[in-house]
Amino acid sequence: MKNKKVGVISGKGGVGKTSLVASLAYLTENDRDINSIVIDCDVDAPNLALILSPSPNNNLKRKDVYSTLKASFQKEKCTQCKRCIDDHFCEFNALSWDFDNNIPLIDYLSCEGCGACKLLCQGYAFEINPVKSGEIIYYISDIGIPIVYGKTRLGSTTSGKLVTECKSYIEKLDGLEKINLIIIDGPPGIGCPVIATISGLDYLIIVTEPTPSGLHDLKRTIELVQNFKIPFGIVINKFNIDTPFQVEFKKYFNETGFDIIGKIPFDLTIPEAMSYAKPVIEFNHESEASKAIKNIYTQIKNILWNGK
Ligand code: SF4
Ligand code: SF4
């Protein structure tokens, strides 16, 4: 079977994206046709590892990523002219004056690495260097699936680059030729990390829920995905919650005709499974939510390999 890459995204956080990814991964482990790997590209808040945790005695592999630029200061070159402060070199307010030592101070978290201070200082007292922006972690989960995830360092401004590094990381893994399904848990929103996540994928699952914010963010996500011309299907989580907004929500799908590939009912076994840090399908494979996810899994396989 040809290797396929499927991403699970949602414009809005908290709609069940990671929970769905964990259950899909669990289903692949019990499917003799599929060898999968999962990448958590939600690098600002990776939490798939909480559900698909490392197997006991499994050695995690870690790789530092240096993709954020920050300014550093070389005291020996500074003439203490104070122009960097008086002439307001830094648009990001990352520079302040240390009156005790008569030198500028750089606020690491505020510095965007723009390079203006380096350009403007006549003493050449500033340098711009890459610093650690996060790390990539690789392990085999307790259900037997390899997991890769990225974790952004506090103050890093380059989540999109870390996402790209995560996706590239798996290309060097031993045994990649046996993998025929790459499942990617994407970040919420429509910004740079999402764009880095979805580029080059074969198919996208967009998870939403029948709420005003769910529909609002779904529309923005679809607009983004259509720009990239990636085929997609929609999963509606808690599709049967009783709310007056259901009328408008259903009207949207009737009018647009977008492909709904699954509807997951409101089911208390999902939060219960989360409290045990398990995929719902492992926790209770007969629950209504699990049955719906099994249908979604079958649909995805059909779409990816049979084109329907
Ligand atoms: S860092 Fe540069 S601009 Fe700032 S006080 Fe020193 S020499 Fe002057
Ligand atoms: S690199 Fe840019 S953001 Fe950072 S301290 Fe210098 S001027 Fe400010």
Side-chain angles (χ1 to χ4, degrees), residues 71 90 92 94-95 111-117 128:
C90 181
F92 298 94
L95 295 179
C111 177
E112 294 277 333
C114 70
C117 52
I128 306 295

Side-chain angles (χ1 to χ4, degrees), residues 3-308:
N3 169 320
K4 299 284 185 184
K5 297 175 189 152
V6 59
V8 183
I9 58 171
S10 62
K12 180 181 177 304
V15 291
K17 174 178 59 63
T18 299
S19 169
L20 177 62
V21 168
S23 282
L24 293 176
Y26 185 82
L27 287 168
T28 67
E29 185 54 16
N30 293 287
D31 183 341
R32 70 176 68 169
D33 294 332
I34 301 292
N35 279 313
S36 70
I37 185 167
V38 181
I39 311 174
D40 186 354
C41 286
D42 190 358
V43 295
D44 290 327
N47 50 24
L48 185 69
L50 300 175
I51 311 173
L52 302 180
S53 50
S55 60
N57 307 319
N58 182 7
N59 285 333
L60 272 73
K61 289 186 183 156
R62 293 175 185 273
K63 181 189 165 201
D64 290 338
V65 175
Y66 295 82
S67 56
T68 297
L69 295 176
K70 295 279 181 185
S72 61
F73 172 68
Q74 296 167 289
K75 192 177 172 186
E76 66 282 1
K77 292 187 180 173
C78 177
T79 60
Q80 300 179 315
C81 69
K82 202 167 170 257
R83 278 192 54 207
C84 47
I85 305 299
D86 295 341
D87 292 354
H88 200 67
F89 284 5
C90 181
E91 285 296 316
F92 298 94
N93 291 321
L95 295 179
S96 61
W97 192 250
D98 175 351
F99 286 96
D100 292 335
N101 297 301
N102 273 330
I103 52 169
L105 295 173
I106 302 168
D107 176 1
Y108 178 88
L109 292 181
S110 302
C111 177
E112 294 277 333
C114 70
C117 52
K118 179 183 177 186
L119 200 69
L120 295 170
C121 170
Q122 292 184 351
Y124 304 103
F126 293 103
E127 281 195 351
I128 306 295
N129 294 305
V131 297
K132 182 178 169 182
S133 53
E135 59 180 345
I136 296 172
I137 295 123
Y138 167 77
Y139 64 89
I140 305 295
S141 63
D142 55 1
I143 62 166
I145 306 259
I147 309 282
V148 172
Y149 73 93
K151 196 159 79 172
T152 310
R153 186 183 181 203
L154 185 70
S156 169
T157 52
T158 51
S159 302
K161 284 186 185 166
L162 184 55
V163 166
T164 304
E165 291 271 350
C166 282
K167 288 168 72 183
S168 306
Y169 182 87
I170 67 162
E171 284 160 23
K172 293 165 205 136
L173 290 176
D174 292 339
L176 182 66
E177 66 288 349
K178 293 184 196 142
I179 299 288
N180 57 8
L181 181 60
I182 298 164
I183 304 173
I184 298 183
D185 185 8
I190 55 166
C192 175
V194 180
I195 292 168
T197 298
I198 68 176
S199 67
L201 301 192
D202 296 297
Y203 191 78
L204 284 166
I205 302 169
I206 306 175
V207 186
T208 188
E209 60 182 20
T211 61
S213 59
L215 181 60
H216 174 263
D217 293 339
L218 173 69
K219 287 177 183 173
R220 280 157 43 99
T221 306
I222 290 174
E223 202 180 334
L224 175 76
V225 169
Q226 285 179 323
N227 268 301
F228 283 82
K229 299 189 170 35
I230 301 170
F232 68 91
I234 295 159
V235 167
I236 304 173
N237 195 14
K238 300 181 198 157
F239 82 92
N240 55 347
I241 51 172
D242 189 12
T243 150
F245 189 70
Q246 287 280 14
V247 177
E248 189 176 332
F249 193 70
K250 284 174 184 158
K251 186 166 165 259
Y252 171 75
F253 286 99
N254 287 337
E255 285 173 359
T256 59
F258 286 135
D259 202 9
I260 299 172
I261 57 164
K263 291 179 176 180
I264 303 172
F266 177 77
D267 184 343
L268 286 173
T269 57
I270 293 181
E272 213 181 333
M274 289 295 113
S275 69
Y276 283 91
K278 297 253 179 236
V280 65
I281 212 136
E282 180 186 7
F283 182 73
N284 181 347
H285 72 281
E286 286 301 322
S287 72
E288 292 306 309
S290 295
K291 287 177 194 165
I293 292 169
K294 280 182 216 166
N295 284 336
I296 293 166
Y297 180 70
T298 307
Q299 278 237 51
I300 295 295
K301 278 181 69 181
N302 274 332
I303 291 166
L304 289 177
W305 284 285
N306 302 327
K308 56 188 178 186

